[in-house]
Amino acid sequence: MSHEFGLIAADTSRTRAYLAAMERRRLMPAWVLLLDADTPATMPGQAAAGTSDAVADAAWPEADFDPAAPLRPWLERLGLPCAVSGSRDINDPAVVALIAQSAPQVLVYSGYGGALLRGEVLATGKRFLHVHGGYLPEFKGSTTNYFSLLAEGAIGASAIFLTAEIDCGPVIRRRRFAPPALRTRIDHVYDSAARARVLIDTLEAWRRDGDWTFELPDNAGGDTYYIIHPVLKHLAILGGR
C-alpha cells in the first residue's frame, strides 16, 4: 500500500496551519491542488489581508503559523508538485478532472468552509481525509467549537473520511482540547491548530501502522449546528457556560 498523500488546498488559515505542521514534522504531500481563482472575493476561512496572528504558545506549537502568508511562494519554496485549479469550487468539473487524474489515492481535504463534496467528486475513487473542527459525533456542522466551549468548556477536532452526508464519515481519530488562553484567536489560529494536530497524528499513525484504524466506524447521532449567533460567540469567547 502506498502511503503517499495529496493535499487539496484552499487559500485559508487552515491550509496554512496544515502546511506549517507538515513542514515541521517533515510529513509532506506528494501533490497539491490549489483551489484558486483570480477573483477578489473573500472566501470562508480566509484571514483578512494584512493579518498576522501567529501565536507563540508552548502548549500549541501548531499555532505558530502566519494565517495570511502567501501560499504560492510557500509551496514553491517547499518544492511540492502543484496544480492550480482556476476555480475555488471543489465540484467544478475541471477540478474534479484534476482530482481524478492525480496519483495519490488519499487526499487531505482543506477546502473552503461550507462546501460539500458532491457525487462526481466522491466517484473519483479517492479517499478524502478531512479534519472537522469539532468533537464527533456530538458536534457536527458549523462553528461547533464555540458551541462545545459553551456546553463543555473544550474544543475538539476529528479526522474522518468524507461522505455525502455532512460530518458523518467514519472517525479515524478525535481529540478534545482545553480552551486556549487567547479565545479571540480561535477562528483563524486555534481551530486550525487543533485540526493540524489531529491531522498529523492521523497521518503518522497511518504510516506507522500501515493501514487505517477507526476510533468510531459508525459516526451516527449527535447534533448538527449552524453558524453561531454573535452574542453566543461572544459568550464563548468570554468563557461563559
Side-chain angles (χ1 to χ4, degrees):
M1 175 189 293
S2 171
H3 288 86
E4 288 190 342
F5 65 93
L7 172 64
I8 297 177
D11 186 0
T12 62
S13 305
R14 187 198 329 165
T15 292
R16 291 165 172 83
Y18 285 2
L19 277 175
M22 289 172 178
E23 185 175 8
R24 190 178 300 114
R25 299 299 286 267
R26 299 181 181 179
L27 190 65
M28 305 306 296
W31 176 76
V32 178
L33 173 57
L34 184 59
L35 298 178
D36 201 6
D38 294 326
T39 59
T42 300
M43 300 292 289
Q46 286 185 321
T51 301
S52 181
D53 280 337
V55 173
D57 185 336
W60 286 88
E62 297 84 3
D64 187 13
F65 72 97
D66 181 352
L71 275 182
R72 293 199 198 190
W74 194 347
L75 294 169
E76 290 170 1
R77 177 177 61 80
L78 294 175
L80 297 177
C82 180
V84 180
S85 67
S87 172
R88 294 173 173 175
D89 180 3
I90 186 66
N91 296 297
D92 185 296
V95 176
V96 175
L98 287 169
I99 291 170
Q101 294 162 12
S102 66
Q105 292 304 300
V106 174
L107 298 175
V108 173
Y109 180 69
S110 182
Y112 291 105
L116 296 178
L117 274 62
R118 296 203 290 265
E120 293 82 357
V121 182
L122 296 173
T124 60
K126 307 296 185 181
R127 303 186 89 173
F128 296 92
L129 176 60
H130 170 61
V131 184
H132 168 66
Y135 193 83
L136 292 173
E138 287 87 343
F139 295 94
K140 296 177 178 178
S142 179
T143 57
T144 51
N145 273 325
Y146 289 111
F147 289 107
S148 66
L149 277 172
L150 291 170
E152 301 180 345
I155 65 174
S158 306
I160 64 174
F161 283 126
L162 289 174
T163 62
E165 297 77 30
I166 187 169
D167 300 332
C168 288
V171 176
I172 306 164
R173 184 177 295 263
R174 56 184 176 169
R175 183 170 174 181
R176 285 188 173 95
F177 300 89
L182 296 172
R183 296 191 185 198
T184 55
R185 295 189 178 180
I186 287 174
D187 279 347
H188 290 293
V189 176
Y190 285 106
D191 179 89
S192 297
R195 298 191 202 208
R197 185 176 301 184
V198 169
L199 174 65
I200 294 298
D201 288 348
T202 301
L203 289 171
E204 289 185 336
W206 173 49
R207 287 193 165 178
R208 181 184 66 245
D209 300 338
D211 206 348
W212 300 102
T213 56
F214 296 92
E215 185 174 335
L216 188 68
D218 183 13
N219 177 18
D223 293 313
T224 299
Y225 294 85
Y226 300 92
I227 295 176
I228 195 167
H229 189 280
V231 173
L232 291 177
K233 180 177 178 179
H234 184 63
L235 289 174
I237 289 172
L238 290 177
R241 293 182 63 187

